[in-house]
Every structure is written in structure tokens, then in C-alpha cells.
Amino acid sequence: MPTIAVRTTLAFAVILIGNCLLASLEAKDISRDKSPDGKFALRIHKGEEGWEAAIVDVRTKKSVVDLDVYGNYIEGMRLVWSKDSKRVAHFEPDRRGGTTHIYFRNGSKFEEVQFPSGEVPECHGNLTAEAAKKFVKTTDATESPKAWLKSGALVIAVDESWITEDGGGSCSQTVTIAFDPNRKAFVQSVTDKKVD
């Protein structure tokens, strides 16, 4: 039977090895959501000051555009590419849902297009006058990219939850975002609205 000193040394060694493996796993790059043409991908990396994300050139591994990361919320972060790899939507999760950022390719770079948040109708905007008086706050608001259409429009799913003085509610709707010739985004349609 090993002595206490040997058991203590073994336990210390196991803990030390485990901590080293955990640190190396945390520092590992995550690469996914490659563009259809295979030239770009999403890279998520744990840097010295927290998580970082970027669209990177697959060949050179260099960032072509840095992406926003809300705190440590990387689970669910993704890119949704158009079939021609010229447009991409980045989903940035946060503590109350998440938002969509839109980028258009210009050569080897990507330029952000302003998301028309002010044009997307709020689900709770259709509450009755009585229910609106009891409205307290929105607890979840998610604008999640689903797909690019052949027309060049982007389909997003909007989900919201809220609390009221006597309970709460939720709703979902599908919003199609189109773009004018100057790449200005606007809401083309709102469908499939469901309020609970």
C-alpha cells in the first residue's frame, strides 16, 4: 500500500495535469461555419481579455473582420452564408437572446450593413391597451438569421418574451430583410406572427 506521501504526490500530479489540459482546451481556437466557396470561416478564440471572434481567411488564418462578442456568450454564435459567399449574417448571442449583424463582401473584405432594428415590429407592440398598461419589461429579444433567399434577402426569426404585472407572454415572427442597390437594409415582410 502506497505511503501518504506517495498518494499525496500522485493526487497533486493528477490535479496539475488536469489543470494543464483544461487550460489548453480553453485556449483552443474554434473554427466553423465555412463559406460555401471555402474561403472564409468563423473563428472563435479565448484571448487574454476574454472571447474573440472573427471572420477569417481560411488559407491565411488572418482576420478579415472582427466580430462582436457579448461577454462570454459564444454558445450559439454562428454565421449564415449566402450561396455565393458574398453576404453573411453573424448571430451574436447575449444574455437576453441575441442580435444579427449583416456583412457584404467587397473583394477580400467584409463591410457591415446597418441592421434595420427600428423597422422590425415589436411583438408586444400589438398588446391590447389593458395589457400594455400591465407591461413591465422585455426579458428576451432574439433576432436570429435563418437563411438567404435567391433574391438576396435575408430571413430572420424574431422571438420575444416579456413579463407583465400578472404574468407574461411571448411571440415569434419571421421577418424578411431586403436591400436596396446601395445596400441599405429594410423590412420587406413580416409573416408567421404568433403571440402567446
Side-chain angles (χ1 to χ4, degrees), residues 2-32:
T3 65
I4 292 177
V6 171
R7 281 188 272 165
T8 303
T9 304
L10 285 173
F12 180 73
V14 168
I15 291 170
L16 184 62
I17 291 169
N19 283 337
C20 291
L21 288 174
L22 182 60
S24 70
L25 286 175
E26 282 186 358
K28 187 175 180 183
D29 280 350
I30 301 167
S31 184
R32 61 178 183 233

Side-chain angles (χ1 to χ4, degrees), residues 59-165:
R59 189 178 50 79
T60 66
K61 308 280 191 251
K62 291 187 180 180
S63 171
V64 292
V65 65
D66 292 330
L67 303 172
D68 291 336
V69 178
Y70 183 90
N72 289 322
Y73 291 86
I74 60 163
E75 190 69 33
M77 180 181 288
R78 67 186 179 282
L79 299 178
V80 176
W81 291 94
S82 63
K83 287 187 180 190
D84 63 4
S85 302
K86 293 184 178 180
R87 296 172 306 280
V88 63
H90 163 236
F91 180 68
E92 177 194 3
D94 61 39
R95 65 187 176 96
R96 295 196 183 205
T99 55
T100 294
H101 302 272
I102 304 166
Y103 297 89
F104 279 60
R105 187 170 163 187
N106 185 3
S108 62
K109 298 193 183 245
F110 287 84
E111 297 172 349
E112 187 166 9
V113 173
Q114 185 69 39
F115 187 86
S117 293
E119 293 181 37
V120 176
E122 291 183 337
C123 290
H124 67 269
N126 291 337
L127 296 176
T128 64
E130 185 177 320
K133 287 180 189 175
K134 296 179 179 181
F135 180 83
V136 176
K137 70 176 181 175
T138 300
T139 56
D140 178 74
T142 304
E143 298 165 340
S144 177
K146 294 300 175 194
W148 289 92
L149 304 177
K150 287 181 183 178
S151 66
L154 174 64
V155 177
I156 63 167
V158 176
D159 296 294
E160 291 182 20
S161 301
W162 58 86
I163 55 174
T164 61
E165 292 173 357

